[in-house]
Amino acid sequence: MSDDTQLNKIKRRLGIKDNRQDELLEDLLDDAKSQFKVITGADIVDEKYEFITRDVALKLYVRKGSEGTASESVDGYSVTYATQLFDEYLPILERDFNLNSSRQSGKVRFL
């Protein structure tokens, strides 16, 4: 899926109809892709995982101005942010990228 398609999906979900925030949204999508690559060790984001980077970019947009904040309350309205943006996707990423494979079982032989 092209970056333009990803951008259009993000804008549609946010109800954005103009192009004034395109650069910001592209930056957030790039950041989400970079984070995905660091977490998984992948060189590219395969199309089947683009929903993850798109969702993380949406989360980054919603949190804009509240980076580093775990929760906030204003006039009785309370918001709690997920501290790790990829947490809900970790089971998928762990399965597909063997992220838990650093704990390998083996044998020790003493001679």
Side-chain angles (χ1 to χ4, degrees):
M1 183 178 312
S2 73
D3 284 345
D4 284 341
T5 304
Q6 286 278 73
L7 180 63
N8 288 331
K9 284 186 173 191
I10 291 170
K11 288 171 66 172
R12 196 168 35 252
R13 291 176 185 184
L14 293 171
I16 297 173
K17 299 189 186 307
D18 57 35
N19 298 329
R20 291 184 286 172
Q21 297 187 67
D22 282 8
E23 284 186 25
L24 170 64
L25 294 172
E26 289 168 356
D27 287 348
L28 296 175
L29 187 56
D30 286 344
D31 289 350
K33 288 178 182 181
S34 294
Q35 290 177 31
F36 180 93
K37 291 174 187 177
V38 167
I39 290 169
T40 62
D43 293 328
I44 60 167
V45 178
D46 191 274
E47 189 172 331
K48 70 181 179 180
Y49 301 111
E50 287 182 349
F51 77 96
I52 296 173
T53 56
R54 184 175 52 248
D55 287 352
V56 169
L58 283 163
K59 290 178 187 180
L60 289 168
Y61 180 85
V62 170
R63 291 184 68 164
K64 189 176 58 144
S66 299
E67 294 87 348
T69 304
S71 66
E72 60 185 336
S73 181
V74 177
D75 294 331
Y77 179 74
S78 180
V79 176
T80 302
Y81 300 107
T83 55
Q84 301 297 323
L85 298 170
F86 286 87
D87 276 358
E88 66 186 284
Y89 308 107
L90 281 180
I92 296 168
L93 300 178
E94 287 171 349
R95 179 195 69 215
D96 292 1
F97 292 93
N98 296 316
L99 299 181
N100 287 329
S101 66
S102 61
R103 293 178 34 205
Q104 296 177 350
S105 60
K107 297 180 182 179
V108 176
R109 284 182 51 188
F110 294 99
L111 300 175

